[in-house]
Amino acid sequence: MRRFILWGILLAALSLAAGCSVIAKVAFGIDEIKEYREDKVQSFLAESQRKVPCRQIVATVEQQDNLIRLDHDTTMMQHRAQPVQVLYFDGDSLVFYHINCYTQSGLLSYDWNNKGSFGQFPPSPTVVPDWHGSMTFTEYSRCLPGLNTNSRYTVLILWSNMLRKVSAKAVETVAANIDGHNDCTVWLVNTDHWFVDYLSRQ
């Protein structure tokens, strides 16, 4: 099952690269990461905090596996395994869900708002066509010890150095969307350990 999921991830990520050409991979910042780099994770956090106040969790392999398997719908498992995801919760309810493979808006361009969802707060659901809205903040916090919020709205940005540019664009899009909305907590969830672990087994 894990092999099936990863192939779905890589195909989705590489679809961003317009045929997987070298130029496109550079343009999108696709990197098959070989090891977990704490310095790169911390530098991304610092870059992100200049855009929006945020906290960070580094997910273990087991924690990311648990997130992927929140339910056993095969398509949703592939979605939850994508390198970059944006989730908005209103209280415990997930009200918006977006993933990296729905960001492409041109041959060599990507835009998290290419469907106009981020034109309002919270963003309008939903750009993931088969999302069924069953995930909750409680379920995510069970998978990620330390994840908490005192705000009405909580935004999770799952990100990876595998798609660092796309991850940075997600943070930038969220920062613009929540500007002026104080009752909102943003969490970054790094998933590099999961990708490094899988790729090291190949």
Side-chain angles (χ1 to χ4, degrees):
M1 175 61 74
R2 201 165 180 205
R3 178 179 295 274
F4 175 75
I5 291 171
L6 189 76
W7 275 113
I9 298 165
L10 293 178
L11 286 172
L14 292 175
S15 71
L16 284 170
C20 308
S21 70
V22 173
I23 293 175
K25 285 183 180 180
V26 171
F28 289 108
I30 295 176
D31 181 13
E32 293 186 14
I33 53 178
K34 303 298 184 183
E35 62 181 351
Y36 173 78
R37 292 276 304 275
E38 178 69 17
D39 59 329
K40 295 190 73 172
V41 171
Q42 292 304 318
S43 70
F44 185 87
L45 174 61
E47 292 166 9
S48 299
Q49 287 178 328
R50 287 193 285 270
K51 300 172 184 174
V52 63
C54 53
R55 311 171 188 175
Q56 181 162 263
I57 287 177
V58 177
T60 66
V61 175
E62 181 181 7
Q63 289 166 355
Q64 180 65 4
D65 276 337
N66 290 339
L67 286 179
I68 292 168
R69 292 174 171 80
L70 280 174
D71 66 48
H72 297 289
D73 180 281
T74 302
T75 301
M76 287 307 300
M77 288 173 71
Q78 288 183 0
H79 284 173
R80 288 195 301 274
Q82 292 304 309
V84 193
Q85 306 171 46
V86 175
L87 302 89
Y88 279 64
F89 294 89
D90 181 349
D92 198 44
S93 300
L94 180 63
V95 295
F96 180 73
Y97 183 49
H98 201 346
I99 55 179
N100 53 257
C101 54
Y102 290 101
T103 62
Q104 188 169 347
S105 58
L107 184 63
L108 285 177
S109 64
Y110 56 88
D111 179 5
W112 282 90
N113 196 33
N114 63 332
K115 302 294 185 181
S117 297
F118 289 92
Q120 64 184 54
F121 178 89
S124 58
T126 183
V127 294
V128 180
D130 49 6
W131 169 56
H132 44 72
S134 63
M135 298 173 284
T136 65
F137 185 79
T138 298
E139 290 173 321
Y140 271 75
S141 61
R142 285 174 182 160
C143 295
L144 296 168
L147 181 66
N148 58 69
T149 185
N150 293 318
S151 304
R152 173 178 174 178
Y153 295 99
T154 308
V155 182
L156 302 188
I157 303 174
L158 277 68
W159 75 278
S160 172
N161 280 297
M162 183 177 179
L163 283 174
R164 190 177 178 101
K165 288 184 179 180
V166 178
S167 298
K169 192 67 174 180
V171 174
E172 180 182 316
T173 303
V174 167
N177 179 253
I178 70 172
D179 186 38
H181 295 275
N182 297 322
D183 197 11
C184 186
T185 298
V186 178
W187 281 91
L188 304 182
V189 180
N190 176 265
T191 57
D192 283 357
H193 280 299
W194 194 92
F195 290 103
V196 169
D197 177 75
Y198 186 90
L199 293 170
S200 69
R201 297 170 185 265
Q202 303 312 298

